[in-house]
Amino acid sequence: MRRGGIGAVVRACAAIVVVGGATTVVLGRGPSAAATRRPGRAGSPGVLLGPAHAKSVSFLVLLRAAAQPTCLTDWARGSGLSVRWSPGQRWVTVSGAPRDVDRSFHLSIDDYRTSAGQVVFAADHPAAVPTGVCGEVAGVGTIHSFVQPTSFAVPTGGLSDTELLQAYDALPLTKKGYNGQGETVVLMEGGGFLSSDLSSFDSDENLPPFKMTLVGKNPGFDDETTMDLETVHEIAPQAHLVFFNLNSITDATSDADLFAQAFLEAEAKFQGAIMSLSLGLCETDTQVFDRADLVALNSTVASIEAKGSTVFAASGDAGGLDCTPPSDYGQPPKSSFEGVSVPASLPAVTGTGGTTLTTDAAGNYAGETTWSEPLLSQGTGGGVSAVFSRPSWQTGVGTGGQADAGNGRQVPDVSADSDPTTGNLIIEKGKKDVGGGTSLAAPTWAGFTAIMDQYLKANHDPAVGFFNPILYRLANSPVPYPPFHDITVGGNDFYAATPGYDMATGLGSPNVYNLARDLKAGGF
């Protein structure tokens, strides 16, 4: 996630790492150990260039038990390496300079040039379990810097509009004509879009033209903005979309002031709108926010939700390391990097985390795991607010002291597909691509809320409005239909996915038809 000054808010982009101003798109999980052999052997990553020039390499080490690896940690420290372990996990991440890894694991990490011209590093042979670690280590993972897509049971090239609706069981609503008619979704953005991409997307997905209003100028192509607009449009094609350029607010005196003005202006122009933000800034960065800023901003969001608005924000894509300074991207993580993002950490905002989605051959929901790439410090953001106490409505299994002795606001609240290998089909700069990141989850929830609001109004019920108390009440009540897919596999860098609520995937992803019927039946 990048950080900027006033008006240059950070984007919670899917699987995008920014290092020294260069953007690298991460496609998926790594290949097998066989692919790390030297040239001349099957599976070589490319032409050998010589010793690796990377400042640091990281890799996974499997433990024999989910206990703190004190012996391994001491051994690593004496070898010039660092170990990162989360309680309850049977693995650690080991990081260090290539020369220290070479010496400690008796191998050679070299640079290679791939057939595509990319320079990558890889170890010349699989690493053996080191001696002197008291039997704590069961195995050592592959050591390399190249990744490739893993085949999941989702359509090649990303989910179409129908497939996304089918996976989350929204088709029963859309087939009855609930397609966002009469609803407004505001996308708050830091970049723009190409009209030609939107037209191509409509044609490719057989959708009606976008109904869109612009607040501020469209500065041109931005991948994040394009994905946001196309995602909401494919879910709720008759909804009125608002492209809100945050940089159109020119008199803001701080980032908090910028966000507050944007929320108030959006509510004044589009009362009762659903709002989505694929943006985030570290909650504890005192150069950006102080406590007064955040309390005031939360109060602002609460005031517009009291008038009927619903606000979603991405929880971040650094696996819980969402306070990593830009200058430290690509470096071994530190405990100070742990943190949550604003606006997602505001109690008045519904924070959206990320999953990896699987469907069956017919396109039906088959399961989800946490979206996580710990080796790359990528994955769903989530954790505990250092500013806000846990709200009274944030209750149930997995909340409060069970996972957080400090009793703070826990993030995210819900989740949806965010893995860039299982996301939706989008069109950017005229080419087909696959969406991903928790910044896909936010517009996904916004689009689903648009069709649920239309359904509720048609049945003489009020629109959702402030969603958080309702979501937790549904999760903890005997409702007619299961409203969430509870994700219990995986976790981010700090918190495991567990039954009930967890700080990786929240309450889970939506079963849209069930959730809509529960809202109607419960009179929420």
Side-chain angles (χ1 to χ4, degrees):
M1 297 173 71
R2 292 193 287 263
R3 179 175 61 192
I6 299 170
V9 287
V10 178
R11 301 190 303 156
C13 290
I16 290 182
V17 186
V18 182
V19 183
T23 302
T24 302
V25 180
V26 178
L27 294 177
R29 301 178 188 275
S32 66
T36 66
R37 296 169 182 163
R38 284 181 177 270
R41 302 181 183 180
S44 165
V47 177
L48 177 65
L49 299 179
H53 287 81
K55 292 182 179 179
S56 177
V57 301
S58 297
F59 51 96
L60 300 185
V61 170
L62 181 66
L63 303 176
R64 294 193 181 279
Q68 185 170 0
T70 53
C71 212
L72 171 62
T73 302
D74 290 341
W75 172 85
R77 186 180 299 114
S79 302
L81 307 175
S82 64
V83 171
R84 177 161 53 88
W85 173 77
S86 297
Q89 297 295 338
R90 277 199 58 207
W91 54 268
V92 300
T93 299
V94 174
S95 303
R99 63 180 181 277
D100 293 327
V101 176
D102 287 353
R103 183 182 64 253
S104 303
F105 286 88
H106 307 292
L107 44 74
S108 177
I109 303 174
D110 299 301
D111 282 340
Y112 297 86
R113 188 178 302 280
T114 69
S115 58
Q118 181 185 12
V119 175
V120 300
F121 66 74
D124 62 341
H125 63 264
V129 174
T131 58
V133 293
C134 307
E136 293 175 343
V137 175
V140 181
T142 54
I143 303 174
H144 55 73
S145 64
F146 50 96
V147 294
Q148 64 184 20
T150 299
S151 177
F152 290 94
V154 294
T156 301
L159 298 164
S160 69
D161 60 328
T162 301
E163 289 163 341
L164 179 61
L165 292 166
Q166 181 175 349
Y168 285 119
D169 199 27
L171 283 179
L173 290 180
T174 59
K175 286 181 176 179
K176 294 178 181 179
Y178 299 110
N179 48 27
Q181 182 73 35
E183 304 303 319
T184 297
V185 180
V186 177
L187 289 307
M188 294 188 175
E189 306 290 350
F193 59 92
L194 299 178
S195 296
S196 57
D197 283 342
L198 305 190
S199 297
S200 296
F201 185 75
D202 286 339
S203 177
D204 189 86
E205 297 292 280
N206 195 27
L207 295 169
F210 279 73
K211 300 178 181 179
M212 186 158 55
T213 298
L214 273 62
V215 176
K217 294 181 179 180
N218 174 16
F221 175 75
D222 177 84
D223 55 353
E224 193 69 42
T225 300
T226 304
M227 181 180 69
D228 291 348
L229 291 169
E230 292 178 355
T231 299
V232 176
H233 184 59
E234 69 178 338
I235 294 172
Q238 294 296 337
H240 172 210
L241 304 191
V242 177
F243 163 74
F244 194 113
N245 185 350
L246 289 167
N247 295 307
S248 66
I249 298 175
T250 58
D251 61 343
T253 58
S254 67
D255 287 284
D257 185 26
L258 172 71
F259 278 121
Q261 286 196 48
F263 284 125
L264 292 175
E265 182 176 341
E267 193 281 327
K269 292 180 176 179
F270 311 102
Q271 187 169 347
I274 301 158
M275 302 182 192
S276 176
L277 297 94
S278 296
L279 309 162
L281 291 158
C282 172
E283 181 191 62
T284 55
D285 188 340
T286 55
Q287 294 182 353
V288 180
F289 302 116
D290 62 18
R291 178 178 176 80
D293 285 329
L294 295 174
V295 171
L297 186 53
N298 187 65
S299 177
T300 301
V301 177
S303 72
I304 68 170
E305 288 182 324
K307 298 179 181 179
S309 289
T310 305
V311 181
F312 297 97
S315 67
D317 295 343
L321 294 163
D322 292 281
C323 286
T324 302
S327 59
D328 287 312
Y329 281 124
Q331 300 304 311
K334 302 176 183 178
S335 59
S336 60
F337 298 172
E338 181 180 1
V340 292
S341 293
V342 175
S345 71
L346 302 177
V349 170
T350 301
T352 60
T355 68
T356 295
L357 173 68
T358 302
T359 61
D360 63 19
N364 299 305
Y365 182 92
E368 280 171 289
T369 60
T370 307
W371 172 50
S372 178
E373 293 284 356
L375 181 62
L376 303 169
S377 293
Q378 296 277 315
T380 180
V384 185
S385 170
V387 176
F388 296 101
S389 299
R390 183 165 58 95
S392 59
W393 41 259
Q394 192 166 44
T395 60
V397 174
T399 63
Q402 301 167 74
D404 166 33
N407 206 33
R409 152 72 164 146
Q410 294 172 260
V411 184
D413 298 295
V414 289
S415 55
D417 189 19
S418 298
D419 191 320
T421 62
T422 68
N424 60 334
L425 182 150
I426 57 176
I427 293 180
E428 297 181 332
K429 288 190 174 180
K431 297 181 180 180
K432 292 183 179 181
D433 204 345
V434 181
T438 59
S439 46
L440 171 60
T444 296
W445 267 92
F448 286 148
T449 302
I451 62 177
M452 289 190 291
D453 275 354
Q454 183 188 2
Y455 168 79
L456 291 171
K457 292 175 184 177
N459 286 278
H460 310 290
D461 286 312
V464 167
F466 180 26
F467 216 164
N468 285 350
I470 298 171
L471 292 168
Y472 287 88
R473 201 177 314 152
L474 288 173
N476 295 302
S477 301
V479 291
Y481 311 100
F484 307 111
H485 303 115
D486 187 10
I487 290 86
T488 60
V489 177
N492 63 16
D493 286 2
F494 299 96
Y495 301 99
T498 60
Y501 177 87
D502 58 72
M503 286 181 281
T505 62
L507 297 169
S509 66
N511 181 306
V512 177
Y513 188 41
N514 284 357
L515 181 54
R517 290 184 291 173
D518 286 336
L519 290 168
K520 177 180 176 295
F524 294 105

